[in-house]
Amino acid sequence: MQASPFRFSGLSVALFALVAFPALAEPLTIDGSGVSRDVHCAGDAVEIHGEGNTIKLTGTCASVTVSGIEQTVDIQQAGKLDISGSGHKVTAAASGLILYGDKSTVTATIGGEADAVVDISGGDHVVDLALQQATRLDVQGVSQQVTWAPVANTPEPRISISGADNKVERKK
């Protein structure tokens, strides 16, 4: 019987799998109530869940998810920022923002990605945006208060508003 030129040992297969299919990194998860932490992101995704946590993220995070109730989060730099729940206070620089739930206050500088998207839904959010690039701003829901200002020569955002009693204004 002639040996096949495509014969692999068990070790060869295992090494090939490690090289060809790298493991996806799990996000750093912070979960609890009343947790206070400073965390350095080294390109990691971060998820913050719970109630009443105070978190400071330094460095650049791949993405940040904030959920729960009354989280206070300061983010130096993130890719996508996804916020849900109620009563959060978030300050961030991010390439995009998705905000839903109610009664959160967000101050964000949006930049770093071609045609950034800011999507706000739910109710009673207060959002203050500094726009560093072309941005699509979608505001839905009820009683949203959104202010925005361009940075340098950034074009005005493309704004879509639906719902009731929403206010979207350029800062003076």
Side-chain angles (χ1 to χ4, degrees), residues 44-157:
D44 298 321
V46 178
E47 294 182 358
I48 302 165
H49 309 287
E51 178 179 1
N53 298 313
T54 302
I55 308 297
K56 181 176 183 178
L57 301 174
T58 59
T60 300
C61 305
S63 64
V64 176
T65 300
V66 178
S67 66
I69 302 170
E70 298 177 357
Q71 313 277 22
T72 300
V73 183
D74 184 11
I75 305 163
Q76 184 175 12
Q77 183 65 51
K80 186 179 91 174
L81 175 57
D82 190 341
I83 303 169
S84 65
S86 181
H88 304 301
K89 291 184 174 102
V90 178
T91 303
S95 63
L97 169 65
I98 297 173
L99 171 62
Y100 49 102
D102 64 1
K103 299 180 182 169
S104 289
T105 301
V106 178
T107 303
T109 299
I110 303 297
E113 201 177 274
D115 294 319
V117 175
V118 174
D119 187 356
I120 300 167
S121 60
D124 298 306
H125 296 299
V126 176
V127 180
D128 184 20
L129 301 170
L131 305 177
Q132 293 181 322
Q133 66 191 52
T135 303
R136 188 178 83 219
L137 177 56
D138 296 327
V139 179
Q140 304 119 52
V142 179
S143 300
Q144 316 286 21
Q145 294 181 34
V146 180
T147 56
W148 62 272
V151 175
N153 294 321
T154 303
E156 297 220 358

Side-chain angles (χ1 to χ4, degrees), residues 15-32:
L15 289 174
F16 175 76
L18 288 174
V19 173
F21 306 105
L24 295 175
E26 290 291 318
L28 169 63
T29 301
I30 301 167
D31 192 357

